[in-house]
Amino acid sequence: MERWLALELASTIRHDGAGGVADDLATVEGLADWLGEQSGRLPGGLPAGLPIDERLRQEVTGLRRAVRALFARAVSPAPPSAADAGRLMPAAEAVAALNAAAALEPVVPQLSWPPGEPPTAALLPAADAGAEPEPEPGPESAPEREPEPEPDPGSGARAGLLAALARAAIEFLAGPQREQLRSCSAPRCVRYFLRSHGRQAWCKPSCGNRARVARHAERRRTTDPDSR
Ligand SMILES: [Zn+2]
């Protein structure tokens, strides 16, 4: 199954397994872990010299707010994920936030066509374009860098990451997969997911089981004459 960076970002808000909501990006350490896992989905991997700090965490989670607001718009008129349904960023504001982040870094389209493999296109930073792209680092190559001295020499890398995340969200939202996006309707689940077949209403089988149990209990409650 294809995994979309925008969907991965939105899914860092998830059911914690105990009836609550967990946020994988609640700490700088959590952000570092997540970025390490996603580096293979970023064209060119994680930007070199990226300072993974509280400021970056706030910028990434701000972008996530915009993405989740637009996911809510995409699944409408079905209800949005319950995790943030009551405090969604207005859609126009979310669109502006994505576009502003995408504009942080100029990019150009680049073709990659290794022997024996199908050709692929990627948008690479204009500064890096024109050369063979380096092989993408694996998920285990999460950088653990010390914060660098002032004045913010990581600003280019920071802009590069935010722009790459925004581009991924724009590509997702403007493409055909948007129509397959659903919010899981199982009790307590807060996930958005891509429907892979006709009437799929749940993100995974265990959510389907939970929803069926809840529906069965509800049916018994409403048809049992003693409970009326
Ligand atoms: Zn679910």
Side-chain angles (χ1 to χ4, degrees):
M1 187 180 81
E2 192 162 19
R3 293 167 72 96
W4 292 87
L5 186 54
L7 194 54
E8 297 290 322
L9 177 60
S11 301
T12 54
I13 288 181
R14 55 182 177 79
H15 179 223
D16 68 0
V21 174
D23 180 357
D24 290 335
L25 306 185
T27 62
V28 173
E29 292 72 28
L31 174 65
D33 289 347
W34 184 77
L35 287 174
E37 290 163 16
Q38 303 303 324
S39 63
R41 295 190 181 92
L42 289 162
L46 277 184
L50 179 69
I52 301 179
D53 55 13
E54 175 59 20
R55 178 177 156 196
L56 187 71
R57 192 190 74 77
Q58 291 187 14
E59 289 167 334
V60 170
T61 53
L63 208 52
R64 180 181 62 182
R65 263 194 84 207
V67 168
R68 289 186 63 93
L70 295 174
F71 276 17
R73 182 180 185 179
V75 302
S76 139
S81 160
D84 47 8
R87 49 192 166 87
L88 288 171
M89 186 187 281
E93 198 182 310
V95 167
L98 273 193
N99 285 338
L104 288 172
E105 181 186 58
V107 290
V108 293
Q110 295 281 283
L111 182 69
S112 172
W113 198 346
E117 289 180 37
T120 56
L123 291 173
L124 292 186
D128 301 350
E132 247 331 90
E134 308 230 329
E136 291 183 358
E140 61 284 346
S141 63
E144 296 209 354
R145 295 188 174 88
E146 292 295 315
E148 301 184 48
E150 296 299 310
D152 199 8
S155 62
R158 203 184 278 282
L161 175 74
L162 294 171
L165 291 176
R167 284 197 303 274
I170 289 169
E171 184 191 358
F172 180 90
L173 287 163
Q177 56 285 335
R178 182 197 65 252
E179 292 175 15
Q180 306 308 320
L181 189 69
R182 295 290 181 276
S183 68
C184 183
S185 59
R188 299 186 300 282
C189 188
V190 298
R191 282 185 85 90
Y192 288 100
F193 68 99
L194 279 183
R195 191 175 65 163
S196 57
H197 60 266
R199 291 166 57 85
Q200 184 184 355
W202 304 295
C203 70
K204 53 183 187 291
S206 61
C207 276
N209 291 337
R210 211 161 64 242
R212 276 186 283 271
V213 167
R215 203 160 54 191
H216 183 67
E218 173 69 10
R219 203 178 297 133
R220 280 187 57 166
R221 196 182 62 77
T222 53
T223 56
D224 182 353
D226 293 340
S227 69
R228 283 184 189 157

